[in-house]
Amino acid sequence: MLGSGVYPFLSITQPVASNILVIEGWIPERAYAQVAEICRNTEPSRVLIVVPVYDGDRLYDEPGLFYDDYIRSVAVSFGVPADRATVILALATRRDRTYHAARVSRRWLAEAGFDASSFNLATMGPHARRSRLLYQRAFGSQVHVGVFALAEQTYDPDHWWRYSSGIRDIISESLGYLYARLLFRPRHEPGDDIPYLIPEKSTMPD
């Protein structure tokens, strides 16, 4: 059946040899258990979690816990090594958000002094093939980009067409991949000029 082959095509897992793991930080919290398992198996020296935020978002909760601290604490609670985890906040754009986040990742890795000649990317299931393609375009053809597709838990991937969430997911990601492959044109050349956000800890409310 044609439909049964769509999910495996989109949900590609094809890692490369690297000591850097980049996480698309919009993944659900429960998915960090899978990220922790990847860390145990591959032992990366740096786990970079790239979280999209929107202009006007409040970056702390009422007790004063900043958003990047919270995401990091979630990752660590599931087993991601605390001494290797870094969270950066990428200001989300109205379009091409994945590509924009990839450029933010590129800039941070360069400024932090990491050798990003290769890295692995982790994201949710059918988003994997599109994410890898857009990260590859952001980093350039000389960089080896691997990918881990985290297992979907809200529907059965082998029978995704039996679930409304599966149908929405596969249709959306199929169209997104076709757009990225055939129509997407970067508005900027790959570079390191994209800003990222670090919450100002000094503005923590009393």
Side-chain angles (χ1 to χ4, degrees):
M1 180 178 178
L2 178 61
S4 63
V6 177
Y7 188 95
F9 174 78
L10 295 173
S11 304
I12 183 173
T13 290
Q14 196 172 75
V16 297
S18 177
N19 63 356
I20 297 173
L21 179 64
V22 178
I23 313 298
E24 292 203 290
W26 51 261
I27 63 175
E29 292 183 8
R30 63 183 179 275
Y32 281 101
Q34 298 178 61
V35 173
E37 182 65 22
I38 292 171
C39 291
R40 286 190 287 270
N41 292 334
T42 63
E43 299 185 342
S45 61
R46 181 56 48 191
V47 180
L48 178 62
I49 304 170
V50 187
V51 181
V53 295
Y54 291 83
D55 191 20
D57 280 354
R58 187 170 64 180
L59 300 182
Y60 56 86
D61 61 14
E62 291 298 339
L65 182 65
F66 280 86
Y67 193 37
D68 57 337
D69 292 332
Y70 172 73
I71 295 297
R72 185 175 180 276
S73 70
V74 168
V76 170
S77 71
F78 278 100
V80 175
D83 60 341
R84 305 177 202 170
T86 298
V87 177
I88 60 173
L89 307 179
L91 188 61
T93 55
R94 290 187 176 182
R95 56 180 294 185
D96 303 331
R97 287 183 292 273
T98 299
Y99 180 74
H100 180 87
R103 296 186 67 209
V104 170
S105 304
R106 173 182 168 134
R107 177 179 178 180
W108 188 90
L109 289 168
E111 292 182 349
F114 287 97
D115 175 13
S117 57
S118 66
F119 67 92
N120 286 304
L121 175 69
T123 189
M124 291 306 300
H127 203 265
R129 187 172 288 271
R130 176 159 65 104
S131 289
R132 184 180 68 167
L133 172 62
L134 292 172
Y135 268 75
Q136 186 72 74
R137 291 189 177 181
F139 275 77
S141 59
Q142 74 281 2
V143 176
H144 300 286
V145 181
V147 66
F148 290 96
L150 305 176
E152 181 57 62
Q153 296 175 306
T154 60
Y155 58 86
D156 178 4
D158 293 332
H159 302 94
W160 58 264
W161 56 88
R162 298 178 181 174
Y163 305 80
S164 60
S165 57
I167 292 172
R168 289 194 302 269
D169 212 9
I170 295 302
I171 290 176
S172 173
E173 291 302 337
S174 295
L175 293 175
Y177 175 70
L178 289 174
Y179 166 77
R181 172 63 69 183
L182 302 176
L183 300 176
F184 172 71
R185 298 292 183 272
R187 285 174 287 174
H188 306 279
E189 290 300 317
D192 300 324
D193 59 325
I194 295 295
Y196 51 85
L197 304 177
I198 298 296
E200 292 292 339
K201 307 301 185 186
S202 61
T203 63
M204 184 183 298
D206 296 329

